[in-house]
Amino acid sequence: MNTTARVSSDRPANLSPNSGDSRPFDITRLTGAPFHLDEAGVVWVEETLHGMRTEDKLRQLFCLVTYSDDQSALERIAGDIRPGGIMCRPMPLAACRRVVDILQSCSAIPLLIAANLEAGGSGALTDGTQLGRPMQLAAAPRGRAEWARRLGAVCGAEGAAAGINWAFAPVADIDTNWRNPITNTRTFGSDPGTVGEMAEAYIAEVQKHGLAAAVKHFPGDGQDERDQHIAPSVNSLSVEDWDRTYGQIYRRAIRAGVRSVMVGHILFPAWSRRMHPGIPDRDILPATVSYDIVTTLLRDRLGFDGLIVTDASTMAGLAVYLPRHVLVPAAIAAGCDMFLFTKDTEEDIGYMEQGFRDGIITPERLDMAVTRILALKASLGLHRAQAAGSFVPPEATARSVVACPDFRRWAAECAAESITLVKQEPGVLPLTPQKYPRVLFVPLDNRQDGTSVFQNDDSQNLRLQHALEAEGFSVTVFQAPAGFEGMMTPVREMTERYDLILYAASLATRSNQTVVRITWQNPMGVNVPVYTHTIPTVFISLDNPYHLIDVPLVRTYINCYAGNETVIRALMDKLTGRAPFVGVSPVDPFCGRWEAKL
């Protein structure tokens, strides 16, 4: 296919106009929401913009990523590539502070430093606090907005301690489709009102701590059953239904003053067809490169005047729709202000520059994007921090904040309030060594077949196993026996050897997987729970809340939403009867199946 011809003469109607968005941008708007700049901030934005060469402006459009504190690599990023921002993957506090120090000291224009602060400071710092995954917080019935506020406080305080100034959170997706392999516990659940309330509380609190929130993933994930990292994702709602759900969530976020929005590689066909009646299906494009979704819907209809950043541009959900040299500048022309990550940095910068020379990105659109980037930086006080020569608090101050006693206490309270007893067989709980001295422990983590490249962490199951042993249970870990029909373990032998069977599933959502389902062992699914009528059986999910779809007739089922040490301690208190179950499911754990309720 001649891609150049498609862009110029057979251009998809949902791609931005050839002229780009050349509407005038009144810089006095920067004094209003969401940046609220003072006079000095506006002057800094104007003077910085006017002092930049076109090459520098185009490089400001990029937000790159780092995985380490390697000084030479960081100096090259800041001095040679000169991006507008960089995202830090989790690392120890000392390493993250070093990253910030090197990058900011080597940058002529201060950088936005981002992290996925979705569940706590642990999104940036390996020694930070994991307060709780969003769905875990939503399962705590006592003040869901208060838990979201606490999440914002932990993320804001621990992020600021490391020099992080941009939170790629909250996740405002609605987990409507239980099959979705990426939203799941990253969301605040399936109720739009709860999602909106908790997102709004998080935004207000994290921004009080000097970080900008980036609500994501516009126009909304969770309807589809695909992960946009590896396949196109579609929001299939009608415009009216979207407006009542996702639309209301984003309106609340905007009213709360959110300073940035992350746009996903998500198609919204109903809106595309509303804007272009009769549009060919092949021309319906992901939001990232859709002028109609980014500019007409988010900017014009919802009234968002802050910074718009793409989701990771390396995802297949975007890459399968347009060739790389087209999609790079098309995202900016559509109305996005920053381009997240690169496939090959030098090549992608070249594509952006060529898009500007070809008029895909007009000078006006470029200046609008860079103005918002600079305005976000000014709203965070980065120009003042640069003048003062300091972007991080003193080390002693930082260490007093990260994983502080109050945050650890909050995490313990969240675990205690969120663990959800979905259904129970009368008389099975509580579990004690006197009642069930011999336990067959069946860990499930999809490692059995050895085929998964992105393995799930089995340490959660080990934590639970060790906790059971410490409690005084005699624990035998299930091992698949040899033999097929006619040669399997007799039921009599199972009932003589075990007093309780306890399943522990550790199958977390993560990028680049198509399902979060249990893979049973051979021969013949030998570890499927078939002894529920003869041996008391308890199924515990440490991650995915939807496993009843695969074990519908298990009679006692518990959702934990996470499996860290704090959660395991709270779980043991509940299993043994020392504490009650008080969590309330924020989604339908029965997946709409009547038989799962039996």
Side-chain angles (χ1 to χ4, degrees):
M1 180 179 72
N2 186 329
T3 56
T4 302
R6 173 160 188 181
V7 172
S8 58
S9 60
D10 188 23
R11 187 180 190 84
N14 209 26
L15 210 58
S16 61
N18 282 323
S19 60
D21 186 359
S22 58
R23 299 175 296 179
F25 184 83
D26 182 358
I27 202 164
T28 62
R29 282 161 43 189
L30 301 182
T31 61
F35 300 122
H36 298 290
L37 299 189
D38 57 19
E39 183 180 353
V42 173
V43 169
W44 180 81
V45 170
E46 285 189 293
E47 291 182 348
T48 304
L49 180 68
H50 294 154
M52 296 170 71
R53 301 171 299 170
T54 297
E55 176 188 349
D56 296 322
K57 293 177 183 178
L58 289 164
R59 288 167 181 251
Q60 278 288 301
L61 303 176
F62 288 92
C63 182
L64 306 182
V65 64
T66 184
Y67 293 82
S68 77
D69 61 347
D70 180 76
Q71 183 167 351
S72 60
L74 295 172
E75 288 177 345
R76 176 178 174 271
I77 289 172
D80 297 338
I81 301 175
R82 307 186 302 282
I86 194 163
M87 177 184 172
C88 291
R89 294 297 187 186
M91 60 185 74
L93 173 63
C96 191
R97 286 169 58 88
R98 176 177 162 83
V99 167
V100 174
D101 276 334
I102 294 171
L103 287 172
Q104 299 290 29
S105 64
C106 294
S107 298
I109 300 173
L111 288 161
L112 294 169
I113 310 288
N116 273 335
L117 297 173
E118 297 179 10
S122 55
L125 309 171
T126 54
D127 43 0
T129 305
Q130 180 174 317
L131 179 66
R133 292 173 180 162
M135 190 176 290
Q136 183 182 348
L137 271 63
R142 188 183 66 181
R144 286 168 168 167
E146 173 60 18
W147 276 117
R149 187 198 67 76
R150 289 185 180 189
L151 178 60
V154 172
C155 293
E158 294 193 347
I164 303 297
N165 53 47
W166 198 7
F168 282 171
V171 175
D173 299 322
I174 306 171
D175 206 48
T176 304
N177 191 330
W178 64 264
R179 294 179 178 86
N180 191 297
I182 190 66
T183 52
N184 206 280
T185 57
R186 295 176 69 200
T187 75
F188 293 118
S190 60
D191 176 62
T194 298
V195 174
E197 179 185 26
M198 297 186 75
E200 181 179 7
Y202 174 96
I203 290 164
E205 188 65 29
V206 81
Q207 293 193 163
K208 286 181 184 177
H209 287 78
L211 280 69
V215 62
K216 60 186 182 184
H217 305 83
F218 191 83
D221 207 349
Q223 299 297 310
D224 205 337
E225 62 185 72
R226 292 168 293 187
D227 171 10
Q228 57 183 300
H229 290 81
I230 52 177
S233 181
V234 177
N235 188 316
S236 56
L237 293 181
S238 68
V239 172
E240 293 74 21
D241 286 342
W242 181 91
D243 208 46
R244 285 190 292 266
T245 54
Y246 293 93
Q248 289 303 314
I249 291 169
Y250 278 92
R251 286 186 178 92
R252 292 184 71 160
I254 293 166
R255 286 196 300 268
V258 70
R259 295 181 193 169
S260 61
V261 171
M262 179 177 286
V263 174
H265 315 310
I266 302 166
L267 288 81
F268 185 13
W271 182 254
S272 298
R273 292 178 177 127
R274 171 76 62 87
M275 297 300 297
H276 301 278
I279 183 175
D281 289 348
R282 67 176 180 276
D283 284 350
I284 297 175
L285 295 174
T288 328
V289 289
S290 169
Y291 181 91
D292 296 324
I293 295 176
V294 176
T295 297
T296 306
L297 181 56
L298 179 54
R299 286 269 188 239
D300 298 342
R301 184 171 181 181
L302 298 187
F304 179 65
D305 208 19
L307 183 143
I308 299 176
V309 60
T310 74
D311 203 344
S313 66
T314 49
M315 293 183 184
L318 175 62
V320 298
Y321 270 91
L322 293 169
R324 191 78 187 173
H325 75 278
V326 175
L327 70 85
V328 172
I332 304 302
C336 297
D337 302 306
M338 290 197 83
F339 190 80
L340 184 60
F341 304 163
T342 56
K343 189 172 183 180
D344 178 89
T345 301
E346 182 178 349
E347 184 177 62
D348 280 358
I349 290 174
Y351 290 153
M352 196 73 79
E353 292 172 339
Q354 188 62 50
F356 179 79
R357 288 192 293 268
D358 291 344
I360 302 300
I361 303 172
T362 66
E364 294 82 5
R365 174 81 273 273
L366 177 60
D367 280 355
M368 287 174 67
V370 176
T371 295
R372 286 195 175 95
I373 294 168
L374 296 175
L376 182 57
K377 294 178 180 184
S379 75
L380 297 168
L382 300 188
H383 58 309
R384 293 192 296 270
Q386 186 177 54
S390 177
F391 289 89
V392 294
E395 183 176 358
T397 301
R399 293 202 175 278
S400 71
V401 171
V402 175
C404 69
D406 280 348
F407 292 169
R408 293 199 302 271
R409 175 174 57 82
W410 285 358
E413 291 175 357
C414 180
E417 291 186 24
S418 60
I419 296 172
T420 307
L421 178 60
V422 176
K423 65 176 183 176
Q424 65 173 319
E425 181 178 3
V428 170
L429 297 177
L431 311 182
T432 65
Q434 294 74 32
K435 187 177 181 181
Y436 304 111
R438 302 165 302 169
V439 176
L440 177 62
F441 184 71
V442 188
L444 303 170
D445 55 33
N446 276 3
R447 289 174 179 264
Q448 298 97 321
D449 60 7
T451 60
S452 176
V453 175
F454 294 91
Q455 299 284 14
N456 286 282
D457 183 6
D458 66 352
S459 62
Q460 297 187 145
N461 287 336
L462 289 174
R463 287 191 195 106
L464 180 52
Q465 176 191 334
H466 294 159
L468 290 165
E469 292 168 342
E471 197 70 36
F473 295 96
S474 175
V475 178
T476 300
V477 179
F478 176 84
Q479 297 291 328
F484 290 89
E485 290 90 340
M487 298 179 289
M488 294 183 173
T489 305
V491 174
R492 179 185 66 258
E493 182 177 330
M494 293 292 292
T495 57
E496 290 174 351
R497 292 178 60 184
Y498 304 113
D499 306 299
L500 175 78
I501 302 177
L502 193 147
Y503 285 80
S506 176
L507 286 84
T509 59
R510 63 188 63 221
S511 305
N512 300 285
Q513 62 184 2
T514 55
V515 292
V516 189
R517 301 285 290 274
I518 299 167
T519 299
W520 302 106
Q521 285 184 274
N522 285 320
M524 305 295 290
V526 69
N527 58 338
V528 171
V530 296
Y531 296 102
T532 56
H533 293 282
T534 51
I535 304 174
T537 301
V538 175
F539 191 105
I540 299 168
S541 173
L542 299 175
D543 289 296
N544 178 20
Y546 299 117
H547 284 313
L548 275 174
I549 192 67
D550 290 321
V551 291
L553 298 186
V554 164
R555 299 176 180 182
T556 302
Y557 178 93
I558 298 164
N559 276 329
C560 295
Y561 314 102
N564 55 41
E565 292 179 7
T566 302
V567 172
I568 296 299
R569 285 196 297 270
L571 173 65
M572 291 307 303
D573 285 342
K574 296 176 187 304
L575 288 175
T576 56
R578 294 190 291 263
F581 290 91
V582 296
V584 177
S585 183
V587 293
D588 174 16
F590 304 104
C591 307
R593 306 303 298 242
W594 60 269
E595 72 274 17
K597 299 179 181 181
L598 298 178

